């Protein structure tokens, strides 16, 4: 083929491919659907006692009373169903513009916390009404959603995701104890928990982002944090290196060391979730 | 005026009594200036007393900032809710006594809807269960 004809055809084909890819990635982005679900969240009045009871239910220390929360969860069923459908999409990009540095918005994490907890209550509502299939699929969707919340996020989003995963695990345990989840439903939950990986969330990437954002504050802080970042990620992989990390942090001027999240707390949070994931896997066997 | 005999004229003159001389204008000015200075001094003293009392009152008044670090972190965020950013989330993670407390602090101000004596379910859901 003549090269003069071939080159324009190649350019047109490349442009069409890129355009198609862009359209596909936008329509396959679960985060956009999650935002639509956030917009559908419906509030409802509850008493102080009911508010306290919600906390205990999410913590797994109090039984769920359907008469108290039925209206709330049913009102929010459309938002939760939209969220559940979105969890089946392969990609979740919250579109965080880290070029904004410390001003990068985190509102999505706050809204995700509410929607995820509503999902836990919805699964308990379904379980208490004997709808085991939907309860299990709601919990599996909640696990995928929680994992997506941390996707591409900083430490804060990862902590929100961890809180949601544990609340869903507590609901699963309740379902298993009551004999409400068995057979096919159980295998769906097994898959969802297995897909989380051993740690449940990617703490290393979250911390790299967290410390990377700090680098944009000022050049001297950047060089200080550049020394800390590798030691931090190493400690997350191997907690035995925590003393090295603590020494590195101690050698940095306090005004920059204060930008570094407490590694002991982060390791505790990571370990707490890993333990819970392992426990949940064995419960679902 | 008719010309009077001497004795009558003398009697006429005796009607008059010497008056004490009037103060000079300059003296009056000095006095009013003195009064003005005194007034100013009193005003300054009064202002100082009021300021001292106000400071004492403000110090004696119980602080609206809670003692508990978790509540303080919450308070700080609720006082200045603004949009939640990496920076504000990071500040909460640093200040709160635990990560759970930080999540709670962020959640409290997320919805301000009120239902005549009842709570917002969305607010309750956004509070951390561990607190």
């Amino acid at each position: 083929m003549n090269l003069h004809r071939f080159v324009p055809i190649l350019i047109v084909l490349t442009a069409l491919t890129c355009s198609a890819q862009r359209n596909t990635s936008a329509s396959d982005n679960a985060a956009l659907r999650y935002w639509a679900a956030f917009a559908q969240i419906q509030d409802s009045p509850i008493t102080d006692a009911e508010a306290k009871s919600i906390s205990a239910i999410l913590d797994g220390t109090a039984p769920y009373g359907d008469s108290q929360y039925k209206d709330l969860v049913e009102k929010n069923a459309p938002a939760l169903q939209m969220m559940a459908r979105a969890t089946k999409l392969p990609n979740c990009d919250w579109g965080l513009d880290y070029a904004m540095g410390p001003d990068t918005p985190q509102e999505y994490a706050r809204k995700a916390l509410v929607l995820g907890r509503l999902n836990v209550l919805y699964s308990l509502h379904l379980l208490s009404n004997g709808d085991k299939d939907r309860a299990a699929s709601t919990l599996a969707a909640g696990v995928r959603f929680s994992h997506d919340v941390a996707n591409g996020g900083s430490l804060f989003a990862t902590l929100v995701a961890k809180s949601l995963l544990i609340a869903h695990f507590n609901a699963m345990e309740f379902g298993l104890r009551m004999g409400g989840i068995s057979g096919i439903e159980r295998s769906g939950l097994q898959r969802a928990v297995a897909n989380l990986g051993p740690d449940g969330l990617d703490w290393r990437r979250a911390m790299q982002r967290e410390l990377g954002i700090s680098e944009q504050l000022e050049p001297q802080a950047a060089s200080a944090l550049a020394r800390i970042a590798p030691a931090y990620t190493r400690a997350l992989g191997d907690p035995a290196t925590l003393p090295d990390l603590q020494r590195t942090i101690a050698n940095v001027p306090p005004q920059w060391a204060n930008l570094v999240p407490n590694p002991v707390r982060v390791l505790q949070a990571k370990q707490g979730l890993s333990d819970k994931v392992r426990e949940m896997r064995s419960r679902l066997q | 005026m008719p010309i009077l005999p001497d004795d009558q004229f003398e009697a006429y003159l005796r009607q008059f009594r010497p008056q004490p001389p009037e103060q000079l204008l300059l003296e009056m000015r000095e006095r009013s200036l003195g009064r003005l200075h005194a007034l100013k001094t009193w005003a300054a003293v009064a202002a100082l007393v009021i300021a001292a009392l106000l400071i004492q009152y403000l110090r004696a008044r119980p602080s609206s900032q809670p003692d508990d670090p978790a509540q303080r972190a919450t308070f700080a965020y609720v006082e200045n809710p603004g949009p939640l950013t990496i920076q504000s989330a990071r500040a909460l993670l640093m200040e709160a006594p635990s990560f759970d407390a930080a999540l709670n602090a962020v959640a409290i101000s997320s919805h301000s809807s009120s239902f005549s004596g009842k709570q917002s379910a969305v607010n309750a859901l956004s509070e951390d269960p561990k607190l």
Side-chain angles (χ1 to χ4, degrees), chain A residues 43-46 48 51 55 72 102-107 110 114 117-118 156 159 210 213-214 258-261 265, chain B residues 77 84-87 89-90 93-94 96-97 99 103 106 110 113 115 118-122 124-129:
Chain A
D43 207 348
S44 193
I46 55 168
D48 288 352
S55 298
L72 174 67
D103 295 330
T104 308
Q106 297 285 287
E107 281 297 325
R110 180 154 61 179
V114 174
R117 286 174 175 172
L118 273 171
F156 184 77
L159 290 169
E210 186 76 28
I213 294 157
S214 300
N258 289 341
L259 294 172
V260 182
R265 280 191 193 172
Chain B
Y77 187 78
L84 181 65
T85 63
I86 295 243
Q87 192 169 26
R90 181 182 289 158
L93 292 177
M94 299 285 180
F99 286 157
L103 288 192
V106 161
S110 58
S113 48
F115 300 94
K118 284 196 168 186
Q119 281 201 38
S120 149
V122 169
L125 279 165
S126 60
E127 286 178 15
D128 197 271

Side-chain angles (χ1 to χ4, degrees), chain A residues 205-227:
Chain A
R205 291 288 300 278
M207 280 316 300
Q208 280 168 353
R209 278 185 215 102
E210 186 76 28
L211 296 172
I213 294 157
S214 300
E215 284 174 27
Q216 294 167 22
L217 290 175
E218 48 185 296
Q220 287 161 309
S223 65
L225 292 172
R227 290 199 298 276

Side-chain angles (χ1 to χ4, degrees), chain A residues 3 15 31 68 91-92 117 129 131 133 139 145 148 152 160 165 180 197 199 232 265 267 279:
Chain A
L3 192 65
Q68 290 169 300
N91 173 37
C92 178
R117 286 174 175 172
N129 285 285
D131 197 344
D133 282 357
L139 285 169
F145 170 70
D148 277 351
V160 167
L165 280 173
D199 292 331
Y232 214 120
R265 280 191 193 172
L267 276 171
E279 188 187 321

Side-chain angles (χ1 to χ4, degrees), chain B residues 2-3 14 17 51-52 74-75 88 92 96 101 113 121 123:
Chain B
I3 298 169
R14 276 194 190 123
R17 291 279 176 272
T74 306
F75 185 89
S88 56
L92 272 167
S113 48
N123 272 356

Side-chain angles (χ1 to χ4, degrees), chain B residues 34-49:
Chain B
R35 256 186 238 134
L36 194 66
H37 280 305
L39 200 66
K40 276 183 184 173
T41 310
W42 279 113
V45 168
L48 280 173
V49 169

